[in-house]
Every structure is written in structure tokens, then in C-alpha cells.
């Protein structure tokens, strides 16, 4: 390609702008099609073209160097496209990093600094010699404020967009859900390819674990999702199969190697769900993309990067000492950068690079697919030994250690060392963990312990694009002698402290409450303590990672505390049960409402995105955690006081006890029904085809179960005579309805469960007021997941909800002595005794588990019962 002579342009010297980038110039041709969606705002191509034209006019006809503080919003995109369309070289930096903005501004002296639609025009023309091919300057993925930038031409940007669009199944009606930052070449490539094809991009600052991200994806019908390996780690926490919209057609993954097991898992999930997984390989130096793995090969060849993108070509360069058949991967194609820039003096240079040496060790398989096997720059020479840092890192991760590995260059006569960053353990074993990591590294590398530094960090450092930050790991190297003891582990953060204290388990930044095995036995205390610590707790906090919760912490700006609605309902119900039995008040319907709450919590905690066997284990464990205290207490009072028959103590009264309501045999009907129904759900999900069906239709599955359970509710299936409404088969529809409420993710879903509640509850009882209580509770739970209470009331509600099982079990032995003369005192003492019993049982459980920190978990499912046919609770 011949380059025309280029003369430097100074302020006030008008010149014709460069042709610009095609996809940025041709926006208007797509007319009224959807171009961008952001924060509920839909911008058409015609509207976007107008914004770009207005911004381009403000930038003027003289080519100038523009520094753009890029954010994921419409104004930033419009300014970026205006620069590309007008031929103004644009330096793209992260708007959220003022240190990087300042460093880049100082290093390159831009003519214009842009943030959103604001342009700070520092001079009317340019102070730089700008090469006519230069279009954009981007940081490499490892840069964090370094003045070194990648110089990309207009032809680079256009060619790579066309190349990617040639192998992706892009359609004009597509919408990419984009959580990747736009200062990152991968995020920009998604924008470029969709604008090239007239498709849309859903811009979001939210993480993929944020319900707002998925709410927008559902609302606007997102068809694709782009992510780096860390994105897919987070998706495992929320369960892509659960949160993804039905419109999803394909996923793309780049930004580093993803584990073969994870590639295979998402490829297989896609086969079941009907979407494709495109694993891709690229570098900023190649504009974005160099290779892709055809989706039909992802499950069979998860270690491969695939084939070159259209227009590209690979070859291997010899690397001394590399295994036979491997070499440095070299790429040629129209998307190869012009070269690097270290400062303003490089902006006038033309092409320096024609063939891109990627720095990756690779080989070509017999099937023609390319595979990256290592990284040249990740090969360290420590004490004369060549150490593959990636291999060491993979070995640690494979051994269950969350770690990153880097090396230090030799300085001042000191030898190069390995530096390992390890996340601290929350179980007090950090010192042992660091020693173990040191032993693993020395065994894997043959290095002496003096050449290995192991540091505990609160969380593994990552760049803003989600990639591991190995530079920060290397910076941990201690100046002390290499044989010195490792530094003390970092103290746990507040969220980690709460979760580890309540659950008694080690907690990492990517862990979630649900993923750690939390259930409704422990969620009450956890939710209240987290809300107190963070100032605000989102409705789906149990699915969010520790890092996301900490990053979203806000100062409390409103009085009181937000408490989950089901916690408040649970507390009110247990007070109503005790108060009704103690003749303090009459509030009926609590037991049946709490059965729906049990289904609500069952869906949230036991039926998460885990394997089928783990689901069954959680359900059975939940039932056991109700059965054990119930049988111990009921059996103990039966033996000591003769209070109950053996059928009640063994929770089989519904089958072997008296058919009609008889005191005290039927006192514990709710516990019995609850345990049987939970075990029934466990039996359902133990069947592979039913488990897969529930995952495929998480809302409609419990709705279908509810409709089936109505056969017994309306006595269309014959049942034995007796106290029918207190038996598990008859009340099953309430548990599955609560399950459906938990799965309701849209207004349509909520209308469905609301209609079921309104249509099926009335007529079940011979008391309209009791029906109204159950219906009202279900509607409140459906439409409002949180309520705000004064701090003292929030703590009281949490305590009563947490202790509800023990209040229910013990109150039978408390209130009868006082109900006739002192009903208020009878109620209060029943609540206090139950709370004390809960504290004792919790402490005993923690001691049995060997947990060092005392906690206060609540019951697995809310419990209450009915006093008699005349005074049911």
C-alpha cells in the first residue's frame, strides 16, 4: 500500500479530513432500525446519525487528536463515531479511571478532550503530526496508564468488523447485550460489527450478575452476549440457563483462555437451549480478532482457538527449546495494527508492523485447528530454570486454590522470583494455606522456597476488562529477603465476614450466598446483617457475588432498613399464631400462607443453578434440619410429659393418626406436611428429565405443578375422610404456588401467580377473612420483595422470623398456663422462650460443625399451625 506524503498540520491550517471509517459514516442508511439501547432509551440509526453529525461538526474539518473518556452510554458512542467518521484520531480511555485519563492526557497532549457530549477544545487545530491512516489509539489489555498505545487505522477497524461479521450469524434484528467496557477492544468490536450490519447494541454498566442487566435483556429481546472468562465464571453463579432470555441465539467468548471444562459446559448448555458458543482469539494489536472456533466444534475441541478469521492467516515462527510442532504464533491480515505509539512523536508514523508476532506458543492440530499452548512472555527464568507461569497457575487452580502467578525481573543483583497472590481463607487457616501453596509451587517447579513469595490478598487483582492483573501481582514482591515469612493475610471484608460467620465456610469474592449452600435456615440473619453493613441490599442479593455486593455498597440515605417481605410476613405470621392460641388476638390463615413462603424459599435456595444431585441433597438436608429439632422436641415432651402420641412425634399423624382434628395429635400438622412436600420435590428433581424440564421452564414448571395439585385441593382426586385441609396432598398447591412466585421474573409472570392466588384460595376455608389473609400475603410477596422498617423493628422481625421454628415448637408448653388470665404475657413469654431455644440450638449446631464464630441461623422453612377447627392459625 502506497502512502501519500504527509505534512504536519498546525493550528489554523485547514486540511481536508481523512475519509474516515465506513461503518461510522454510513449509519443513516439503516434508517429507523434500532441502533443503541441504554437505560431504557432506544436510539435509532437515524437518531444516532444525527448525533454523530452534530458532534462531528463541533469537532470541525481540521483533523485533531481527540482523547475520549469512554463510558458505556449513548453520548460516548456518538462522540467516538463522530471522531471515526470525521477522520479524527481518537485515543480511547476508561472514563472511570481518572488516573489513566490524566496520565494519557499528560503523555499525548490531545487537542480535544471529550467526555460524553462535552468537548474541551484545548486548541482550534492540532499540535501534532497525524498520519492520514491513523484512526484510533487503544491501550493493550495489560496497560493501566502506560503511555504505550496501539495505533489502528481506519482500514484496520473496517476490515476486522467485516471479518467478524462474516462468521458470526449477525442479523439486522439482532441485539447484543454488552456488559464489556467500550474502552476495551473486545467491547468496541461488538459495537463495530453490529453497526456494520445495522443491528443493535444494549449498552449497560451493570454486571452480568445484576438483575437490571437481565431485566433489560428480557425487555428488549437480546440475542447475543459477549464475555471474557471471568464473565462466564460469574454466569455460573447466577445460572445462565435461568436468567437468559428466550431470544438468546449465541454467546461469544474472548479475552483469554477459558478452561476446557467450562467451554464444554456452555457449548452443551447451548445445545440444550438452542444457542451457539463462539470461542474467539485476538489481541488489541490485531484490532480485536484473529481466530474463532466454529460452535459445532466447541464441545469436542474446547482447547482450540479454531481457524483464522476471514482474510487472516497463521504460521509458526521457530522458538528455541520449544516442543516439536510448536512455535510462536504469527498472524497476517488487514487488521494488523500500524504499530505502537509511545508518545506524540509516533502519531505521524506509518506502518511499522506487517506480520504480528503474538507472543503465544501454538501448534496446529491434525484437524487443522490451531491451539495456543503457552505464552512466551509468561515464561520466567528463575535460578536458571524456565518456568511456565501459566502452567503453575493452572496447577494451583486445579488444586482448589484461587491464585495468580507472576515473576519479578532481576534488579540490583537480586535473582528473579516467583510471586503468587492467593485469596485468604475465611476459616482462619490463611497461614496454613500460604505454606501449602508454597509447597505446591516448589514441587511443581523444582525451585527452592527462597525463590517463591506467596502473598495473601483480599481479592485477586483484575483489570477493568475482567482479565487477571499480573502486573499487580508482581508488584506485591516484598523487598525483604526472599526467605522471610509471608505477610499476614488481609482481613476479610465486611460482606465476606458476614457470610463466613453465618455459614461457617471459606468465602471468596466470586462466591454467592446461594452458591455457598445458604438456604432459608440462614438467609434471615444474613440478609439483615448485610443490609446493615451495606446500607442497601438488592432483592437478588443471594445470587450476587461478594465482589458485586461490596462494589455496590452505598451509604444509607433513607431512614430505617430494607427487610425482605417474606421475612416480615414470616415474623407477623408466627406472632399471629402464638397470639391467636394465647387468646390475645384472632388472625387466621397464617399456617397456609407460611406454606407458600416455604415454597418461595425452597425455589430460591434449594433449587439454584447446581447439579441435580446437589439439588436433591439440599432439599433432603433442608427437610432434615426441620425434622431433627421437631422430633427431638415433640418426642421429648411426649416421653416426659405424655403430651403427644407417637404418631405425632414421628411426623406420621396424617397417615396413622386420628382422621379428624384431635387435640393434641394434630398440633404439628404443618411440620409434617412441609417435610413430606419438600421430600416430594426432592423426588421430582431426582428424575433427570423433570430436572431438565424445570431448568428449561423455571417459571412454568411450578405453575404446571400448581395446576396439577389443584386436583386434590378441589377434591377431584378421592382422599380419605377426615381433617382434609391439614394434609400434605391437599395443601401442596400452596407450596408450589410460592415456588412460582419466586420464579416470577416479569410483570406477566406476576399477573399469572396473582390470578392463581385470587382464583384458588377463596373457598378453601369456611372463612372469607382467612382467605383474604392468605391472598393478601401472596400478593404482597409477589409484587413487593422488600419493605422498609425502622431499625429496631427490622431487628425484631429478623429475630422472630429466624426463631419461628423454635417458637412454634415450644409455645405449646408455655402459653396454656397463662392464656386465660394473662394473654399478652402468655404471648410474650412464648416468643421469648422460642427465641432462647433457637439461640441454644444454633450454638449447639455451630459447635458440632466446629465453626469458630457463633451465628444465628433461622429455620429452613417458616412454620406455624392451627389450634383447633374453631381457632385455626
Amino acid at each position: 500500500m502506497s502512502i501519500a506524503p504527509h505534512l504536519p498540520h498546525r493550528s489554523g491550517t485547514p486540511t481536508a479530513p481523512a475519509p474516515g471509517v465506513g461503518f461510522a459514516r454510513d449509519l443513516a442508511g439503516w434508517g429507523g432500525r434500532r441502533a443503541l439501547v441504554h437505560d431504557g432509551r432506544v436510539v435509532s440509526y437515524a437518531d444516532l446519525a444525527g448525533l454523530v453529525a452534530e458532534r462531528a461538526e463541533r469537532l470541525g474539518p481540521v483533523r485533531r487528536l481527540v482523547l475520549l473518556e469512554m463510558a458505556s452510554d449513548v453520548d460516548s458512542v456518538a462522540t467516538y463515531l463522530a471522531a471515526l467518521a470525521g477522520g479524527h484520531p481518537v485515543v480511547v480511555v476508561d472514563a472511570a479511571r481518572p488516573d489513566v485519563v490524566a496520565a494519557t492526557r499528560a503523555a499525548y497532549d490531545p487537542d480535544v478532550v471529550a467526555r460524553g457530549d462535552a468537548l474541551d477544545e484545548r486548541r482550534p487545530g492540532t499540535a501534532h503530526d497525524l498520519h492520514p491512516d491513523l484512526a484510533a489509539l487503544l491501550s493493550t489489555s495489560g496497560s493501566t496508564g502506560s503511555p504505550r498505545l496501539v495505533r489502528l487505522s481506519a482500514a484496520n477497524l473496517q476490515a476486522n468488523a467485516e471479518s467478524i461479521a462474516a462468521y458470526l450469524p449477525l442479523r439486522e434484528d439482532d441485539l447484543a447485550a454488552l456488559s464489556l467496557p467500550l474502552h476495551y477492544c473486545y467491547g468496541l468490536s461488538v459495537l463495530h460489527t453490529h453497526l456494520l450490519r445495522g443491528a443493535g447494541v444494549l449498552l449497560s454498566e451493570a454486571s452480568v450478575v445484576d438483575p437490571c442487566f437481565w431485566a433489560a435483556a428480557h425487555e428488549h429481546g437480546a440475542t447475543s452476549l459477549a464475555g471474557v472468562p471471568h464473565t462466564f465464571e460469574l454466569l455460573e453463579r447466577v445460572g445462565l440457563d435461568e436468567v437468559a432470555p428466550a431470544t438468546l441465539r449465541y454467546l461469544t467468548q474472548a479475552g483469554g483462555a477459558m478452561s476446557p471444562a467450562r467451554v464444554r459446559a456452555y457449548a452443551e448448555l447451548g445445545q440444550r437451549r438452542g444457542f451457539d458458543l463462539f470461542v474467539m482469539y485476538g489481541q488489541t494489536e490485531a484490532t480485536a480478532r484473529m481466530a474463532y472456533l466454529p460452535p459445532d466444534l466447541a464441545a469436542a475441541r474446547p482447547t482450540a482457538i479454531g481457524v483464522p478469521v476471514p482474510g487472516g492467516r497463521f504460521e509458526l515462527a521457530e522458538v528455541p527449546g520449544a516442543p516439536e510442532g510448536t512455535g510462536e504464533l504469527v498472524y497476517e491480515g488487514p487488521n494488523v495494527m500500524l504499530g505502537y505509539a509511545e508518545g506524540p512523536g509516533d502519531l505521524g508514523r506509518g506502518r511499522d508492523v506487517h506480520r504480528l508476532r503474538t507472543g503465544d506458543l501454538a501448534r496446529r492440530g491434525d484437524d487443522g485447528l490451531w491451539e495456543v499452548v503457552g505464552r512466551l512472555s509468561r515464561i520466567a527464568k528463575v535460578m536458571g530454570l524456565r518456568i511456565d507461569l501459566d502452567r503453575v497457575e493452572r496447577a494451583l487452580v486445579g488444586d482448589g486454590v484461587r491464585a495468580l502467578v507472576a515473576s519479578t525481573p532481576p534488579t540490583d543483583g537480586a535473582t528473579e522470583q516467583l510471586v503468587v497472590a492467593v485469596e485468604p481463607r475465611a476459616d482462619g487457616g490463611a497461614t496454613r494455606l500460604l505454606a501449602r501453596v508454597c509447597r505446591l509451587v516448589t514441587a511443581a517447579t523444582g525451585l527452592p522456597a527462597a525463590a517463591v513469595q506467596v502473598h495473601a490478598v483480599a481479592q485477586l487483582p483484575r483489570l477493568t476488562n475482567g482479565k487477571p492483573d499480573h502486573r499487580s501481582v508482581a508488584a506485591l514482591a516484598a523487598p525483604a529477603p526472599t526467605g522471610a515469612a509471608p505477610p499476614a493475610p488481609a482481613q476479610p471484608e465486611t460482606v465476606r465476614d458476614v457470610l463466613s460467620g453465618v455459614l461457617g465456610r471459606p468465602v471468596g469474592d466470586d462466591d454467592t450466598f446461594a452458591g455457598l449452600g445458604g438456604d432459608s435456615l440462614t438467609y434471615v440473619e444474613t440478609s439483615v446483617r448485610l443490609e446493615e453493613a451495606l446500607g442497601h441490599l438488592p432483592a437478588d442479593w443471594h445470587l450476587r457475588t461478594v465482589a458485586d455486593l461490596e462494589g455496590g455498597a452505598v451509604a444509607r440515605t433513607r431512614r430505617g432498613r430494607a427487610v425482605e417481605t417474606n421475612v416480615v410476613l414470616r415474623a407477623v405470621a408466627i406472632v399471629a399464631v402464638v397470639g391467636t392460641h394465647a387468646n390475645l388476638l384472632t388472625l387466621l390463615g397464617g399456617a397456609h400462607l407460611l406454606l407458600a413462603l416455604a415454597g418461595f424459599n425452597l425455589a430460591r435456595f434449594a433449587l439454584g443453578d447446581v447439579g441435580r444431585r446437589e439439588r436433591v441433597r439440599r432439599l433432603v438436608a433442608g427437610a432434615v434440619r426441620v425434622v431433627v429439632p421437631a422430633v427431638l422436641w415433640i418426642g421429648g415432651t411426649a416421653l416426659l410429659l405424655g403430651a403427644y402420641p407417637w404418631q405425632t412425634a414421628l411426623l406420621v399423624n396424617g397417615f396413622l393418626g386420628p382422621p379428624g382434628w384431635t387435640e393434641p395429635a394434630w398440633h404439628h400438622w404443618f411440620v409434617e406436611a412441609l417435610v413430606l412436600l419438600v421430600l416430594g420435590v426432592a423426588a421430582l428433581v431426582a428424575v433427570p428429565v423433570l430436572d431438565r424440564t424445570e431448568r428449561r421452564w423455571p417459571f412454568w414448571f411450578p405453575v404446571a405443578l400448581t395446576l396439577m395439585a389443584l386436583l386434590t385441593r378441589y377434591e377431584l382426586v378421592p382422599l380419605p375422610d377426615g381433617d382434609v385441609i391439614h394434609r400434605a396432598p391437599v395443601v401442596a398447591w400452596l407450596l408450589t404456588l410460592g415456588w412460582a412466585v419466586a420464579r416470577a421474573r416479569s410483570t406477566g409472570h406476576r399477573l399469572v401467580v396473582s390470578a392463581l392466588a385470587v382464583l384458588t384460595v377463596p373457598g378453601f376455608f369456611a372463612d372469607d377473612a382467612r382467605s383474604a389473609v392468605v391472598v393478601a400475603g401472596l400478593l404482597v410477596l409477589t409484587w413487593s420483595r422488600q419493605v422498609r422498617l425502622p431499625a429496631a423493628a427490622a431487628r425484631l422481625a429478623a429475630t422472630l422470623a429466624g426463631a419461628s421454628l423454635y417458637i412454634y415448637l415450644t409455645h405449646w408448653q408455655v402459653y396454656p398456663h397463662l392464656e386465660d388470665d394473662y394473654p399478652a404475657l402468655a404471648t410474650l413469654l412464648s416468643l421469648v422462650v422460642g427465641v432462647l431455644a433457637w439461640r441454644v440450638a444454633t450454638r449447639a449446631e455451630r459447635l458440632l460443625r466446629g465453626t469458630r464464630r457463633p451465628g444465628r441461623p433461622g429455620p429452613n422453612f417458616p412454620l406455624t399451625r392451627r389450634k383447633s377447627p374453631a381457632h385455626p392459625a
Side-chain angles (χ1 to χ4, degrees):
M1 177 179 178
S2 62
I3 304 296
H6 177 71
L7 298 176
H9 302 295
R10 299 299 178 211
S11 176
T13 306
T15 59
V21 181
F23 62 74
R25 293 195 318 262
D26 302 335
L27 299 171
W30 297 105
R33 299 200 63 83
R34 175 179 59 183
L36 302 175
V37 179
H38 178 249
D39 199 20
R41 175 188 178 191
V42 179
V43 179
S44 70
Y45 272 89
D47 293 337
L48 181 59
L51 290 173
V52 170
E54 180 271 333
R55 212 68 48 82
E57 184 177 357
R58 290 169 59 190
L59 287 173
V62 177
R63 293 185 76 218
R64 295 190 286 177
L65 181 66
V66 178
L67 187 149
L68 173 60
E69 300 179 33
M70 177 66 90
S72 294
D73 57 40
V74 173
D75 283 325
S76 294
V77 171
T79 301
Y80 172 69
L81 294 173
L84 294 186
H88 303 278
V90 55
V91 183
V92 181
V93 292
D94 184 2
R97 291 288 305 275
D99 55 332
V100 175
V101 173
T104 308
R105 181 170 177 165
Y108 282 90
D109 186 26
D111 304 311
V112 181
V113 177
R115 186 182 183 104
D117 63 348
L119 302 181
D120 176 13
E121 301 185 65
R122 305 178 67 211
R123 55 185 66 92
T126 183
H128 305 292
D129 179 7
L130 303 174
H131 193 277
D133 289 345
L134 183 62
L137 296 106
L138 304 180
S139 295
T140 61
S141 59
S143 296
T144 55
S146 167
R148 192 185 205 200
L149 302 176
V150 171
R151 294 183 289 120
L152 298 174
S153 68
N156 289 154
L157 299 174
Q158 186 72 19
N160 205 222
E162 292 175 351
S163 178
I164 297 169
Y167 68 78
L168 288 181
L170 261 172
R171 304 189 308 219
E172 293 180 11
D173 60 346
D174 275 337
L175 181 72
L178 186 61
S179 67
L180 298 172
L182 287 177
H183 65 271
Y184 174 33
C185 71
Y186 186 9
L188 281 178
S189 73
V190 175
L191 177 69
H192 295 171
T193 52
H194 284 69
L195 294 180
L196 179 75
R197 287 288 186 262
V201 178
L202 171 62
L203 302 174
S204 178
E205 299 86 355
S207 165
V208 293
V209 298
D210 192 324
C212 296
F213 179 86
W214 292 109
H218 278 268
E219 180 182 356
H220 298 285
T223 58
S224 68
L225 173 71
V228 297
H230 184 56
T231 306
F232 287 84
E233 291 178 20
L234 296 178
L235 286 174
E236 289 187 358
R237 304 295 181 179
V238 298
L240 178 64
D241 196 26
E242 243 182 65
V243 298
T247 50
L248 186 69
R249 294 197 301 110
Y250 65 92
L251 310 177
T252 64
Q253 182 269 313
M258 193 157 71
S259 71
R262 187 166 282 128
V263 171
R264 188 179 292 111
Y266 278 100
E268 292 172 349
L269 174 61
Q271 290 171 2
R272 297 194 301 270
R273 277 289 306 266
F275 62 75
D276 289 326
L277 171 66
F278 287 83
V279 176
M280 308 189 298
Y281 166 79
Q283 293 178 354
T284 308
E285 289 85 345
T287 307
R289 208 60 57 232
M290 290 182 280
Y292 74 99
L293 182 63
D296 58 322
L297 300 176
R301 290 286 272 119
T303 59
I305 62 172
V307 298
V309 299
R313 186 172 71 88
F314 283 135
E315 64 180 48
L316 295 178
E318 183 179 354
V319 176
E324 184 178 356
T326 66
E328 183 180 6
L329 191 62
V330 180
Y331 175 80
E332 283 189 73
N335 50 316
V336 172
M337 66 175 178
L338 299 174
Y340 291 109
E342 302 286 350
D346 296 323
L347 301 180
R349 290 165 47 203
R351 178 171 293 279
D352 298 329
V353 179
H354 297 273
R355 301 167 71 249
L356 178 62
R357 299 184 72 100
T358 64
D360 287 326
L361 281 173
R363 62 187 174 212
R364 188 179 186 187
D366 295 337
D367 54 4
L369 298 179
W370 292 85
E371 186 174 354
V372 172
V373 297
R375 177 85 182 150
L376 290 176
S377 62
R378 294 279 289 155
I379 303 295
K381 195 165 186 179
V382 183
M383 301 187 72
L385 298 175
R386 287 172 58 87
I387 308 297
D388 186 335
L389 301 179
D390 287 329
R391 187 179 297 274
V392 176
E393 198 171 278
R394 287 194 297 269
L396 290 174
V397 172
D399 210 79
V401 179
R402 294 185 57 80
L404 293 177
V405 181
S407 64
T408 62
T411 56
D412 298 329
T415 58
E416 191 172 6
Q417 294 181 316
L418 251 60
V419 185
V420 185
V422 181
E423 286 194 354
R425 298 277 295 267
D427 59 358
T431 302
R432 293 190 301 274
L433 175 64
L434 298 184
R436 172 171 166 256
V437 169
C438 189
R439 289 194 301 270
L440 290 172
V441 172
T442 56
T445 62
L447 292 171
V452 179
Q453 292 191 29
V454 184
H455 297 261
V457 295
Q459 64 184 72
L460 297 180
R462 293 189 181 274
L463 301 170
T464 56
N465 56 28
K467 290 186 177 182
D469 186 356
H470 289 105
R471 291 187 180 184
S472 293
V473 175
L476 294 172
T482 55
Q491 293 298 316
E493 298 292 335
T494 302
V495 172
R496 190 186 303 225
D497 189 32
V498 171
L499 292 179
S500 63
V502 175
L503 299 176
R505 296 186 55 180
V507 178
D509 287 319
D510 289 338
D511 285 326
T512 65
F513 174 80
L516 289 167
D519 56 18
S520 53
L521 248 169
T522 48
Y523 91 97
V524 175
E525 180 194 2
T526 305
S527 65
V528 172
R529 286 175 60 180
L530 284 179
E531 201 279 338
E532 184 175 4
L534 299 179
H536 169 74
L537 199 61
D540 67 338
W541 64 269
H542 61 291
L543 299 177
R544 296 202 184 195
T545 64
V546 171
D548 187 49
L549 287 173
E550 290 167 351
V554 296
R556 189 176 290 106
T557 56
R558 299 169 60 186
R559 288 191 172 186
R561 297 236 301 267
V563 183
E564 292 194 20
T565 301
N566 79 93
V567 173
V568 177
L569 289 173
R570 191 164 151 182
V572 170
I574 195 62
V575 171
V577 167
V578 175
T580 299
H581 296 165
N583 294 324
L584 178 66
L585 51 85
T586 300
L587 184 61
L588 310 177
H592 293 82
L593 174 60
L594 284 173
L595 195 64
L597 286 173
F600 180 85
N601 289 321
L602 175 148
R604 297 173 73 202
F605 305 118
L607 296 176
D609 188 33
V610 293
R612 177 171 53 86
R613 292 182 179 179
E614 175 62 16
R615 282 181 159 192
V616 174
R617 188 200 67 77
R618 289 184 181 183
L619 287 163
V620 173
V624 169
R625 295 184 78 183
V626 175
V627 168
V628 170
V631 170
L632 287 176
W633 182 265
I634 301 169
T637 54
L639 290 173
L640 296 175
L641 305 176
Y644 301 106
W646 66 269
Q647 295 95 330
T648 302
L650 295 181
L651 302 181
V652 293
N653 182 71
F655 300 100
L656 304 177
W661 181 275
T662 301
E663 297 269 6
W666 280 85
H667 283 176
H668 297 278
W669 72 270
F670 186 85
V671 178
E672 181 179 327
L674 176 62
V675 170
L676 289 174
L677 292 176
V678 172
L679 292 176
V681 174
L684 283 177
V685 299
V687 180
V689 65
L690 294 179
D691 181 65
R692 289 195 297 271
T693 302
E694 191 279 334
R695 295 174 191 271
R696 180 66 181 86
W697 291 288
F699 173 72
W700 295 109
F701 185 84
V703 169
L705 290 180
T706 302
L707 295 176
M708 294 174 62
L710 290 176
L711 295 175
T712 53
R713 178 258 182 268
Y714 286 107
E715 301 183 47
L716 300 177
V717 174
L719 293 170
D721 292 334
D723 191 13
V724 177
I725 68 169
H726 297 118
R727 290 180 175 170
V730 182
V731 295
W733 117 90
L734 286 169
L735 183 133
T736 57
L737 184 56
W739 178 355
V741 171
R743 298 298 201 208
R745 299 186 179 278
S746 66
T747 300
H749 289 172
R750 294 184 179 93
L751 289 173
V752 169
V753 292
S754 298
L756 283 172
V758 171
L759 294 174
T760 61
V761 173
F764 185 66
F765 309 104
D767 185 336
D768 292 340
R770 192 187 332 177
S771 296
V773 168
V774 177
V775 171
L778 282 167
L779 293 180
V780 170
L781 184 66
T782 300
W783 293 97
S784 175
R785 296 296 169 89
Q786 288 185 341
V787 295
R788 185 161 289 274
L789 298 176
R795 287 192 293 270
L796 179 61
T799 299
L800 293 175
S804 56
L805 171 61
Y806 295 90
I807 294 172
Y808 168 71
L809 290 173
T810 61
H811 86 288
W812 289 102
Q813 281 67 53
V814 179
Y815 80 84
H817 305 290
L818 301 167
E819 61 176 324
D820 293 332
D821 299 323
Y822 306 102
L825 182 59
T827 301
L828 178 61
L829 284 179
S830 295
L831 298 175
V832 170
V833 169
V835 170
L836 291 175
W838 168 52
R839 301 281 190 186
V840 171
T842 298
R843 185 172 295 275
E845 180 184 356
R846 292 290 172 86
L847 290 174
L848 288 173
R849 288 193 316 193
T851 305
R852 297 183 180 183
R853 299 180 187 180
R856 305 186 301 260
N860 196 24
F861 300 103
L863 302 176
T864 185
R865 35 67 79 197
R866 166 178 179 167
K867 184 174 181 180
S868 70
H871 300 288

